[in-house]
Structures are given as C-alpha cells and as structure tokens.
Amino acid sequence: MMAVLGFVAVLALVTGLIHLYLWKRLVRDTTTPGRWRRIGGIAALVLALLVPVTLAGTQAGLYWLAWPGYLWLALMFYLLVVLVVLEVPMLVTRLVLRRRVVAAEPTTAAPEPVLVGAAGPTEPPAAGAVAAPDHDPSRRLLLARGAAIFAGLTATGVTGYGIRTALGPPQLDRVRIPLAKLPRSMDGLRIATVSDIHLGPLRGRAHTERIVAAINRLDADIVAVVGDLVDGSVAELGSAAAPLRDLRSRYGSFFVTGNHEYYSGVEEWVQEVDRLGLRVLQNRRQEIQARGGVLDLAGVNDLTGASTGLAAGPDFAAALGDRDPSRPVVLLAHQPLAAKEAARYGVDLQLSGHTHGGQMVPFNLAVKLEQPVVSGLGEVDGTKVYVTNGAGFWGPPVRVGAEPQISLVELRSA
C-alpha cells in the first residue's frame, strides 16, 4: 500500500506540472482575460486533481472513478505529446512572421507632418500608438487557437483508436524459437503464453473468459501465465479470475507472480490461483516429460517481491541452481529485466510480460530505458527473452502501437 501511495504522490506532482503546461497552451494562450479564462483555469485544476484521486480512489473501491479518470489520463498524455511536438513549428512560424514584418518596415523615417488647426500647429500622434504587426495580439491568438484545435482533435482521435484496440480481442502472436539443447523428439513443443491480464476496475469475468477461450483454441502443450493477473483482492476479483480453472493443456498450466500481485495480496492470490488448477512456480521448477524428452520449466517470483517485504523475492539459485545443465530450461519471469540474473544460470529461454509492449506510443521509449526487451524476441547476455504484450491494460483503457496479445511459443530443436 505504501508503494502505491508513493506512486500516487509522484504522479500527482508530475500531472500537476503537465496540467500547468496544458493550461498555458490551451487556456491562457487561446483566451483573453475574463470569464472563459477563469472557467478554463478551474477545469484544468479539477482535471489535475482527477488523476491522483482516481488512482487512490480505485484502490479504495471507488471503481466509478476509473472510466473518467483513466480516460482523461490518456487524453492528457496525447495532448502533451502533440503540443510538445508542435512547439518547434510554432516557434518557427512566429519567427518567420516577425522577420516578414521587420523586412516590410521602411528603412528611413518619413518627415513628421505638422497638423495645423484652429488652435495652431499640433504634434503628430505619439510613436507606438498603433501596435506593430509583430505584436498584433489577434495574430498570436489565431496561431495559438489553431495549435490547440489541432492538438485536441489529434489527441482525441488517437485516444479513441487506442480505446477500441485495448477493448478488442487479444491478437495471436506465433513465434518459433530454436533451442540448442531441445531434444529432436520435443521439436514443436508449444507454450501458450499470456501476461498482464489485469483484472480490476475496468476488466472482469468476461475478459478472463475470452482469454481462456482463445488459449484453449490453441491446443497448447503448456500454458504459462506470467504475472499481473489482478489489480485487487481475492474478495473483489475472485469470481472474475474463476474461469482460469477451465484452461486446457497437455502438460499443465503454470503461473508466476507479477508486481501487481504484490499490491493486491500476493499470498492470497497464490493460494487462489493454485486452487484454480494452475501450478504456481515460486522460485522452483517443474520437470516436463514429453515425447520421450525432458525440459525444465522454472519460475521465479517477481523482482518487486524483494523490496515489498510481503513475500520472498526471486531466488534464481533455488529455481535453477542444481538442475541438470544438459537439459534445456525455460524460465517464467514477469519482468524481462530478470534475464540479467537468469543468464548467469545458463537459461535457454525466458518468457516475460510486464512491459505491455509500451501500451501507448511513445511511452515504449521510456520502457526501453528500464527493460532490456520491450516486445517480441530479444537476447540478454546469451539468454533468449520473449516478451508478450499482455492481454489487458493498466490504467487507461488505451493501447496505441501495442495490441493486446496472447502468444504461442513453439520450441524448435536447433
């Protein structure tokens, strides 16, 4: 809980600064002093408060806050992105217009006329009585309003597209991965992999049922659920997770914890998932005997466990330390970052999630700073790492550039 509150506090500070910028570009620059500017300022303040209130409120069970709060978070993000991108062309436009005005001004001053009236000669109008064109407020107002309209329409369109994608069915990603140690008799062994289902305020039982049905259609040998199943307690979401008991596979269904399990009552969820028929690999491994060959399937707790104090963190030695090195080993670990330690134990393949594929472009660029692989197949210190995009979403019900995904990993003998 303390980790969540700390995150909410940091987010409140960041979103406050973002809303200050949005108020400047969308309200102050596009209005004249008066009623509409005051209304815009109040709206900006309310929306700035909505984001942290939503995060804290949904943790407290106020789920009705989720839709307006998370949708505004997405729209805010894309307004920020578009307006920041527009800063450069806006600056160039202002400089070009100013240069044109300067070039049009006469280089020599004309003689000042003397006006003769009934009371005698009078002075000419004071210099600067008429504003120079480059300081014309109507021009600046027109430019600012044009940018605001463009940003609003673009951000709304992108967010709408992202909502449709996020709420749509998960797409299937089929990937073939050769493993040097895989026996030829096990060539073609298939692992249905899903992560980041994120049952919670915006996703319930129907979401789980759709995912289970999609996985069962694959007729996989193994099912791997690699963390972040829930955003809430067993009491709140137990019925939503119940369809997991219907998962079908030849050699078993397995689960490892993600960071969100540690925010949701990890010990209760481990018991609940086990009750539903998935074997929870908490720093342990399972020998998979199939088609006359043997493969080690290992799992470690999420990296978050080491810092929460709620349960044990990852223990790679316990899961991998005394295994037969001649066997191929596939490791289930929620975060791709775990591969840096897994590589020391000679892991052939790690299956992960956590990143959501970035979820909302260009946020994927920030994810890349933390995780060695954001989406798809990569390699870390000689260990192959496959990262699935996840079947759900966290926060905004929006996915742009990273469709929800279920992956079918087919192992091939090299």
Side-chain angles (χ1 to χ4, degrees), residues 2-26:
M2 291 302 296
V4 174
L5 292 177
F7 175 74
V8 171
V10 172
L11 187 64
L13 176 61
V14 172
T15 55
L17 294 174
I18 291 173
H19 280 80
L20 182 62
Y21 172 76
L22 294 181
W23 170 81
K24 172 69 168 59
R25 287 290 178 255
L26 299 178

PDB file of all heavy atoms in Angstrom, residues 2-26:
ATOM      1  N   MET A   2       1.953   1.238   0.791  1.00  0.00           N
ATOM      2  CA  MET A   2       2.829   2.407   0.840  1.00  0.00           C
ATOM      3  C   MET A   2       3.456   2.682  -0.517  1.00  0.00           C
ATOM      4  O   MET A   2       3.626   3.835  -0.909  1.00  0.00           O
ATOM      5  CB  MET A   2       3.919   2.185   1.893  1.00  0.00           C
ATOM      6  CG  MET A   2       3.398   2.193   3.324  1.00  0.00           C
ATOM      7  SD  MET A   2       2.548   3.752   3.738  1.00  0.00           S
ATOM      8  CE  MET A   2       3.905   4.911   3.583  1.00  0.00           C
ATOM      9  N   ALA A   3       3.793   1.601  -1.243  1.00  0.00           N
ATOM     10  CA  ALA A   3       4.368   1.779  -2.578  1.00  0.00           C
ATOM     11  C   ALA A   3       3.359   2.439  -3.507  1.00  0.00           C
ATOM     12  O   ALA A   3       3.708   3.310  -4.312  1.00  0.00           O
ATOM     13  CB  ALA A   3       4.811   0.429  -3.146  1.00  0.00           C
ATOM     14  N   VAL A   4       2.089   2.037  -3.392  1.00  0.00           N
ATOM     15  CA  VAL A   4       1.044   2.626  -4.226  1.00  0.00           C
ATOM     16  C   VAL A   4       0.850   4.099  -3.895  1.00  0.00           C
ATOM     17  O   VAL A   4       0.753   4.950  -4.787  1.00  0.00           O
ATOM     18  CB  VAL A   4      -0.276   1.858  -4.048  1.00  0.00           C
ATOM     19  CG1 VAL A   4      -1.404   2.555  -4.790  1.00  0.00           C
ATOM     20  CG2 VAL A   4      -0.126   0.423  -4.539  1.00  0.00           C
ATOM     21  N   LEU A   5       0.816   4.422  -2.573  1.00  0.00           N
ATOM     22  CA  LEU A   5       0.636   5.813  -2.176  1.00  0.00           C
ATOM     23  C   LEU A   5       1.802   6.682  -2.622  1.00  0.00           C
ATOM     24  O   LEU A   5       1.622   7.833  -3.026  1.00  0.00           O
ATOM     25  CB  LEU A   5       0.464   5.888  -0.654  1.00  0.00           C
ATOM     26  CG  LEU A   5      -0.826   5.273  -0.091  1.00  0.00           C
ATOM     27  CD1 LEU A   5      -0.836   5.353   1.428  1.00  0.00           C
ATOM     28  CD2 LEU A   5      -2.053   5.977  -0.667  1.00  0.00           C
ATOM     29  N   GLY A   6       3.015   6.121  -2.541  1.00  0.00           N
ATOM     30  CA  GLY A   6       4.179   6.868  -3.023  1.00  0.00           C
ATOM     31  C   GLY A   6       4.091   7.132  -4.507  1.00  0.00           C
ATOM     32  O   GLY A   6       4.416   8.234  -4.983  1.00  0.00           O
ATOM     33  N   PHE A   7       3.645   6.125  -5.254  1.00  0.00           N
ATOM     34  CA  PHE A   7       3.483   6.294  -6.698  1.00  0.00           C
ATOM     35  C   PHE A   7       2.433   7.355  -7.005  1.00  0.00           C
ATOM     36  O   PHE A   7       2.619   8.188  -7.894  1.00  0.00           O
ATOM     37  CB  PHE A   7       3.085   4.963  -7.325  1.00  0.00           C
ATOM     38  CG  PHE A   7       2.777   5.043  -8.790  1.00  0.00           C
ATOM     39  CD1 PHE A   7       3.786   5.188  -9.720  1.00  0.00           C
ATOM     40  CD2 PHE A   7       1.465   4.982  -9.244  1.00  0.00           C
ATOM     41  CE1 PHE A   7       3.504   5.270 -11.080  1.00  0.00           C
ATOM     42  CE2 PHE A   7       1.167   5.069 -10.589  1.00  0.00           C
ATOM     43  CZ  PHE A   7       2.199   5.204 -11.509  1.00  0.00           C
ATOM     44  N   VAL A   8       1.326   7.335  -6.245  1.00  0.00           N
ATOM     45  CA  VAL A   8       0.271   8.331  -6.444  1.00  0.00           C
ATOM     46  C   VAL A   8       0.797   9.733  -6.177  1.00  0.00           C
ATOM     47  O   VAL A   8       0.487  10.684  -6.901  1.00  0.00           O
ATOM     48  CB  VAL A   8      -0.941   8.024  -5.541  1.00  0.00           C
ATOM     49  CG1 VAL A   8      -1.944   9.174  -5.567  1.00  0.00           C
ATOM     50  CG2 VAL A   8      -1.623   6.733  -5.991  1.00  0.00           C
ATOM     51  N   ALA A   9       1.631   9.893  -5.132  1.00  0.00           N
ATOM     52  CA  ALA A   9       2.183  11.206  -4.798  1.00  0.00           C
ATOM     53  C   ALA A   9       3.090  11.733  -5.913  1.00  0.00           C
ATOM     54  O   ALA A   9       3.012  12.905  -6.299  1.00  0.00           O
ATOM     55  CB  ALA A   9       2.950  11.124  -3.480  1.00  0.00           C
ATOM     56  N   VAL A  10       3.948  10.859  -6.427  1.00  0.00           N
ATOM     57  CA  VAL A  10       4.828  11.276  -7.524  1.00  0.00           C
ATOM     58  C   VAL A  10       4.012  11.626  -8.760  1.00  0.00           C
ATOM     59  O   VAL A  10       4.271  12.636  -9.436  1.00  0.00           O
ATOM     60  CB  VAL A  10       5.850  10.153  -7.841  1.00  0.00           C
ATOM     61  CG1 VAL A  10       6.636  10.490  -9.101  1.00  0.00           C
ATOM     62  CG2 VAL A  10       6.792   9.950  -6.660  1.00  0.00           C
ATOM     63  N   LEU A  11       3.011  10.796  -9.043  1.00  0.00           N
ATOM     64  CA  LEU A  11       2.173  11.058 -10.207  1.00  0.00           C
ATOM     65  C   LEU A  11       1.415  12.367 -10.062  1.00  0.00           C
ATOM     66  O   LEU A  11       1.235  13.106 -11.031  1.00  0.00           O
ATOM     67  CB  LEU A  11       1.196   9.903 -10.417  1.00  0.00           C
ATOM     68  CG  LEU A  11       0.370   9.961 -11.707  1.00  0.00           C
ATOM     69  CD1 LEU A  11       1.283   9.856 -12.921  1.00  0.00           C
ATOM     70  CD2 LEU A  11      -0.667   8.855 -11.747  1.00  0.00           C
ATOM     71  N   ALA A  12       0.978  12.685  -8.838  1.00  0.00           N
ATOM     72  CA  ALA A  12       0.265  13.936  -8.602  1.00  0.00           C
ATOM     73  C   ALA A  12       1.155  15.132  -8.927  1.00  0.00           C
ATOM     74  O   ALA A  12       0.710  16.119  -9.528  1.00  0.00           O
ATOM     75  CB  ALA A  12      -0.220  14.004  -7.161  1.00  0.00           C
ATOM     76  N   LEU A  13       2.426  15.061  -8.525  1.00  0.00           N
ATOM     77  CA  LEU A  13       3.364  16.150  -8.825  1.00  0.00           C
ATOM     78  C   LEU A  13       3.587  16.285 -10.323  1.00  0.00           C
ATOM     79  O   LEU A  13       3.528  17.387 -10.880  1.00  0.00           O
ATOM     80  CB  LEU A  13       4.689  15.888  -8.113  1.00  0.00           C
ATOM     81  CG  LEU A  13       5.822  16.887  -8.411  1.00  0.00           C
ATOM     82  CD1 LEU A  13       5.424  18.296  -7.978  1.00  0.00           C
ATOM     83  CD2 LEU A  13       7.112  16.445  -7.729  1.00  0.00           C
ATOM     84  N   VAL A  14       3.818  15.163 -10.980  1.00  0.00           N
ATOM     85  CA  VAL A  14       4.087  15.192 -12.425  1.00  0.00           C
ATOM     86  C   VAL A  14       2.871  15.689 -13.194  1.00  0.00           C
ATOM     87  O   VAL A  14       2.985  16.554 -14.071  1.00  0.00           O
ATOM     88  CB  VAL A  14       4.505  13.789 -12.914  1.00  0.00           C
ATOM     89  CG1 VAL A  14       4.603  13.768 -14.435  1.00  0.00           C
ATOM     90  CG2 VAL A  14       5.830  13.385 -12.288  1.00  0.00           C
ATOM     91  N   THR A  15       1.698  15.162 -12.873  1.00  0.00           N
ATOM     92  CA  THR A  15       0.495  15.582 -13.596  1.00  0.00           C
ATOM     93  C   THR A  15       0.152  17.036 -13.295  1.00  0.00           C
ATOM     94  O   THR A  15      -0.406  17.728 -14.146  1.00  0.00           O
ATOM     95  CB  THR A  15      -0.711  14.687 -13.240  1.00  0.00           C
ATOM     96  OG1 THR A  15      -0.892  14.670 -11.819  1.00  0.00           O
ATOM     97  CG2 THR A  15      -0.505  13.278 -13.746  1.00  0.00           C
ATOM     98  N   GLY A  16       0.500  17.505 -12.090  1.00  0.00           N
ATOM     99  CA  GLY A  16       0.282  18.927 -11.791  1.00  0.00           C
ATOM    100  C   GLY A  16       1.088  19.817 -12.720  1.00  0.00           C
ATOM    101  O   GLY A  16       0.574  20.811 -13.248  1.00  0.00           O
ATOM    102  N   LEU A  17       2.347  19.455 -12.939  1.00  0.00           N
ATOM    103  CA  LEU A  17       3.202  20.235 -13.850  1.00  0.00           C
ATOM    104  C   LEU A  17       2.696  20.129 -15.290  1.00  0.00           C
ATOM    105  O   LEU A  17       2.717  21.120 -16.034  1.00  0.00           O
ATOM    106  CB  LEU A  17       4.637  19.735 -13.754  1.00  0.00           C
ATOM    107  CG  LEU A  17       5.326  19.959 -12.398  1.00  0.00           C
ATOM    108  CD1 LEU A  17       6.697  19.292 -12.382  1.00  0.00           C
ATOM    109  CD2 LEU A  17       5.450  21.449 -12.109  1.00  0.00           C
ATOM    110  N   ILE A  18       2.251  18.938 -15.670  1.00  0.00           N
ATOM    111  CA  ILE A  18       1.717  18.767 -17.030  1.00  0.00           C
ATOM    112  C   ILE A  18       0.473  19.630 -17.231  1.00  0.00           C
ATOM    113  O   ILE A  18       0.318  20.292 -18.261  1.00  0.00           O
ATOM    114  CB  ILE A  18       1.397  17.285 -17.302  1.00  0.00           C
ATOM    115  CG1 ILE A  18       2.694  16.477 -17.374  1.00  0.00           C
ATOM    116  CG2 ILE A  18       0.597  17.132 -18.599  1.00  0.00           C
ATOM    117  CD1 ILE A  18       2.467  14.984 -17.483  1.00  0.00           C
ATOM    118  N   HIS A  19      -0.408  19.652 -16.236  1.00  0.00           N
ATOM    119  CA  HIS A  19      -1.630  20.450 -16.359  1.00  0.00           C
ATOM    120  C   HIS A  19      -1.330  21.950 -16.377  1.00  0.00           C
ATOM    121  O   HIS A  19      -2.061  22.723 -17.015  1.00  0.00           O
ATOM    122  CB  HIS A  19      -2.608  20.111 -15.235  1.00  0.00           C
ATOM    123  CG  HIS A  19      -3.374  18.855 -15.484  1.00  0.00           C
ATOM    124  ND1 HIS A  19      -2.841  17.609 -15.247  1.00  0.00           N
ATOM    125  CD2 HIS A  19      -4.628  18.649 -15.973  1.00  0.00           C
ATOM    126  CE1 HIS A  19      -3.739  16.687 -15.564  1.00  0.00           C
ATOM    127  NE2 HIS A  19      -4.830  17.285 -16.008  1.00  0.00           N
ATOM    128  N   LEU A  20      -0.273  22.357 -15.707  1.00  0.00           N
ATOM    129  CA  LEU A  20       0.130  23.762 -15.781  1.00  0.00           C
ATOM    130  C   LEU A  20       0.520  24.128 -17.209  1.00  0.00           C
ATOM    131  O   LEU A  20       0.146  25.191 -17.728  1.00  0.00           O
ATOM    132  CB  LEU A  20       1.295  24.016 -14.820  1.00  0.00           C
ATOM    133  CG  LEU A  20       1.804  25.462 -14.738  1.00  0.00           C
ATOM    134  CD1 LEU A  20       0.716  26.391 -14.228  1.00  0.00           C
ATOM    135  CD2 LEU A  20       3.045  25.534 -13.844  1.00  0.00           C
ATOM    136  N   TYR A  21       1.254  23.225 -17.842  1.00  0.00           N
ATOM    137  CA  TYR A  21       1.648  23.440 -19.250  1.00  0.00           C
ATOM    138  C   TYR A  21       0.416  23.426 -20.160  1.00  0.00           C
ATOM    139  O   TYR A  21       0.279  24.283 -21.053  1.00  0.00           O
ATOM    140  CB  TYR A  21       2.637  22.364 -19.669  1.00  0.00           C
ATOM    141  CG  TYR A  21       2.956  22.363 -21.147  1.00  0.00           C
ATOM    142  CD1 TYR A  21       3.793  23.306 -21.703  1.00  0.00           C
ATOM    143  CD2 TYR A  21       2.407  21.386 -21.984  1.00  0.00           C
ATOM    144  CE1 TYR A  21       4.091  23.299 -23.058  1.00  0.00           C
ATOM    145  CE2 TYR A  21       2.694  21.366 -23.333  1.00  0.00           C
ATOM    146  CZ  TYR A  21       3.532  22.327 -23.871  1.00  0.00           C
ATOM    147  OH  TYR A  21       3.813  22.323 -25.207  1.00  0.00           O
ATOM    148  N   LEU A  22      -0.487  22.455 -19.937  1.00  0.00           N
ATOM    149  CA  LEU A  22      -1.690  22.393 -20.773  1.00  0.00           C
ATOM    150  C   LEU A  22      -2.549  23.641 -20.589  1.00  0.00           C
ATOM    151  O   LEU A  22      -3.125  24.152 -21.556  1.00  0.00           O
ATOM    152  CB  LEU A  22      -2.506  21.141 -20.430  1.00  0.00           C
ATOM    153  CG  LEU A  22      -1.860  19.783 -20.743  1.00  0.00           C
ATOM    154  CD1 LEU A  22      -2.803  18.646 -20.371  1.00  0.00           C
ATOM    155  CD2 LEU A  22      -1.465  19.684 -22.206  1.00  0.00           C
ATOM    156  N   TRP A  23      -2.644  24.138 -19.350  1.00  0.00           N
ATOM    157  CA  TRP A  23      -3.409  25.370 -19.104  1.00  0.00           C
ATOM    158  C   TRP A  23      -2.792  26.534 -19.869  1.00  0.00           C
ATOM    159  O   TRP A  23      -3.507  27.346 -20.475  1.00  0.00           O
ATOM    160  CB  TRP A  23      -3.422  25.680 -17.606  1.00  0.00           C
ATOM    161  CG  TRP A  23      -3.984  27.033 -17.294  1.00  0.00           C
ATOM    162  CD1 TRP A  23      -5.291  27.387 -17.211  1.00  0.00           C
ATOM    163  CD2 TRP A  23      -3.227  28.229 -17.049  1.00  0.00           C
ATOM    164  NE1 TRP A  23      -5.416  28.724 -16.936  1.00  0.00           N
ATOM    165  CE2 TRP A  23      -4.159  29.272 -16.837  1.00  0.00           C
ATOM    166  CE3 TRP A  23      -1.866  28.523 -16.993  1.00  0.00           C
ATOM    167  CZ2 TRP A  23      -3.763  30.578 -16.571  1.00  0.00           C
ATOM    168  CZ3 TRP A  23      -1.465  29.815 -16.720  1.00  0.00           C
ATOM    169  CH2 TRP A  23      -2.405  30.830 -16.510  1.00  0.00           C
ATOM    170  N   LYS A  24      -1.476  26.601 -19.877  1.00  0.00           N
ATOM    171  CA  LYS A  24      -0.796  27.691 -20.594  1.00  0.00           C
ATOM    172  C   LYS A  24      -1.114  27.639 -22.087  1.00  0.00           C
ATOM    173  O   LYS A  24      -1.448  28.670 -22.703  1.00  0.00           O
ATOM    174  CB  LYS A  24       0.712  27.569 -20.374  1.00  0.00           C
ATOM    175  CG  LYS A  24       1.584  28.518 -21.200  1.00  0.00           C
ATOM    176  CD  LYS A  24       1.438  29.956 -20.757  1.00  0.00           C
ATOM    177  CE  LYS A  24       2.526  30.829 -21.389  1.00  0.00           C
ATOM    178  NZ  LYS A  24       2.517  30.829 -22.864  1.00  0.00           N
ATOM    179  N   ARG A  25      -1.004  26.470 -22.676  1.00  0.00           N
ATOM    180  CA  ARG A  25      -1.169  26.359 -24.135  1.00  0.00           C
ATOM    181  C   ARG A  25      -2.635  26.322 -24.572  1.00  0.00           C
ATOM    182  O   ARG A  25      -2.974  26.837 -25.644  1.00  0.00           O
ATOM    183  CB  ARG A  25      -0.461  25.096 -24.635  1.00  0.00           C
ATOM    184  CG  ARG A  25       1.060  25.220 -24.639  1.00  0.00           C
ATOM    185  CD  ARG A  25       1.507  26.189 -25.728  1.00  0.00           C
ATOM    186  NE  ARG A  25       2.950  26.375 -25.733  1.00  0.00           N
ATOM    187  CZ  ARG A  25       3.561  27.448 -25.282  1.00  0.00           C
ATOM    188  NH1 ARG A  25       2.838  28.455 -24.758  1.00  0.00           N
ATOM    189  NH2 ARG A  25       4.866  27.557 -25.340  1.00  0.00           N
ATOM    190  N   LEU A  26      -3.500  25.713 -23.778  1.00  0.00           N
ATOM    191  CA  LEU A  26      -4.886  25.519 -24.211  1.00  0.00           C
ATOM    192  C   LEU A  26      -5.850  26.566 -23.662  1.00  0.00           C
ATOM    193  O   LEU A  26      -6.936  26.751 -24.204  1.00  0.00           O
ATOM    194  CB  LEU A  26      -5.372  24.129 -23.796  1.00  0.00           C
ATOM    195  CG  LEU A  26      -4.602  22.937 -24.370  1.00  0.00           C
ATOM    196  CD1 LEU A  26      -5.172  21.634 -23.842  1.00  0.00           C
ATOM    197  CD2 LEU A  26      -4.608  22.954 -25.888  1.00  0.00           C
TER     198      LEU A  26
END
